[in-house]
Amino acid sequence: MMRTRPLKVALLGCGVVGSEVARIMTTHADDLAARIGAPVELAGVAVRRPGKVRAGIDPALVTTDATALVKRGDIDVVVEVIGGIEPARTLITTAFEHGASVVSANKALLAQDGAALHAAAEEHGRDLYYEAAVAGAIPLIRPLRESLAGDKVNRVLGIVNGTTNFILDKMDSTGAGYQEALDEATALGYAEADPTADVEGFDAAAKAAILAGIAFHTRVRLDDVYREGMTEVTAADFASAREMGCTIKLLAICERAEDGASVTARVHPAMIPLSHPLASVHGAYNAVFVESDASGQLMFYGPGAGGAPTASAVLGDLVAVCRNRLSDATGPGESAYAALPVSPMGEVVTRYHISLDVADKPGVLAQVATVFAEHGVSIDTVRQQGKDGEASLVVVTHRASDAALGGTVEALRKLDTVRGVASIMRVEGE
């Protein structure tokens, strides 16, 4: 039997995502009520610019006083889609204090202060759901937090930023340079006017922190994630990747150490074999590859951004939270019992592709190989091309630690026969 009194929802933010949340709540009201067991009512919308026309939203619901809205006391669920750290953090904790559960899409805040927000939710007996914070419409948080709760996740490897994937995919498919591909992404609306958060990996790093925390039952903050942007990736790097049967993606990688005693989280460009499922993810799409003991390999794929896809994830959380309210229950909170240490990047072990500019004369290869051997880095393959006294030397290593590779490169730069290090790229997915 359906309850007639509606559950009241406060919406913080009415931009691209927030406006879609409001639209779906209105157009799908009957379906949502049937799925929840009670109608949901949009009780207020907090915005910065109240004079803007917002189609389908009653102007009487619009307010600039977000604090007063979340303090009302009759609000069942607060949906936060304003982003940033403040005032979002204060508004969310205030919502808990006044009896509301929270659905958020705020990856930056969750990556920085997720533990404190979970603690506040638990203290007040309320829910904190955030499926939309990672990979847009792709169901990922809930499968990791609930469906795989009985399994042991060892690795999460994924493309979690659509802007960077569009740019790198365009560079690969057309031979365009980075700036040319970025300009096209901006013109099509995939890249912001200031793309720094995307192309320098900040957005992906926040998502990696959230994913690692859930996957490994360990608190992982944004500061724990190694981050490297993709602005230095060149057409020459893609040419080298193709010669290896690879392509290049900006990856978020969260791993449990082989001995299970620590975890790592990192974001950086990497070569991946064309045979790997992530290599076939094109355009602005996202995909995340999960490896676990019992389930084996799982892949989650779909649109990772945009108003409607992200709103879909928000509404999924809203339905779950509303059901919990009706049954006077809460869903899963933070699981950080494992409390594993997060290892620094220097301890991460992977393969490397190094391109060197060297003198084209006898003995160069032997010198380079000696440096690699002295630093305990084993060479898998070497390719050398020379002309007019100059040459390029491409070395692909077996698995080595980042620290060992760093020492190797530093020593290589001191060789008289090495003119420069053209590029260094990790090789993943094997």
Side-chain angles (χ1 to χ4, degrees), residues 106-190:
N106 196 331
K107 53 187 172 288
L109 177 57
L110 288 159
Q112 178 171 307
D113 287 325
L117 294 179
H118 275 292
E122 183 177 0
E123 178 185 355
H124 296 285
R126 293 294 176 251
D127 277 322
L128 173 62
Y129 276 48
Y130 43 90
E131 184 68 64
V134 179
I138 304 172
L140 185 58
I141 300 297
R142 193 170 288 113
L144 282 174
R145 193 159 69 166
E146 299 179 32
S147 304
L148 295 176
D151 205 343
K152 179 184 177 183
V153 176
N154 296 309
R155 194 176 197 222
V156 180
L157 171 76
I159 299 164
V160 294
N161 183 280
T163 300
T164 56
N165 199 57
F166 178 90
I167 293 170
L168 292 173
D169 187 42
K170 186 62 62 173
M171 292 175 69
D172 189 22
S173 61
T174 68
Y178 166 76
Q179 190 60 50
E180 182 183 351
L182 172 60
D183 290 344
E184 183 173 349
T186 303
L188 292 172
Y190 292 125

Side-chain angles (χ1 to χ4, degrees), residues 59-126:
L61 297 177
V62 176
T63 179
T64 57
D65 194 344
T67 301
L69 179 59
V70 300
K71 283 184 173 181
R72 274 177 37 174
D74 65 335
I75 299 298
D76 294 289
V77 184
V78 169
V79 174
E80 183 272 310
V81 289
I82 57 178
I85 305 302
E86 288 291 358
R89 173 170 49 198
T90 299
L91 291 170
I92 289 173
T93 54
T94 301
F96 291 140
E97 291 166 1
H98 287 78
S101 290
V102 174
V103 172
S104 176
N106 196 331
K107 53 187 172 288
L109 177 57
L110 288 159
Q112 178 171 307
D113 287 325
L117 294 179
H118 275 292
E122 183 177 0
E123 178 185 355
H124 296 285
R126 293 294 176 251

Side-chain angles (χ1 to χ4, degrees), residues 383-406:
R383 186 176 69 255
Q384 184 173 5
Q385 293 178 324
K387 184 179 181 181
D388 299 328
E390 297 295 330
S392 64
L393 188 66
V394 176
V395 178
V396 179
T397 74
H398 288 290
R399 289 172 61 83
S401 72
D402 189 79
L405 196 281

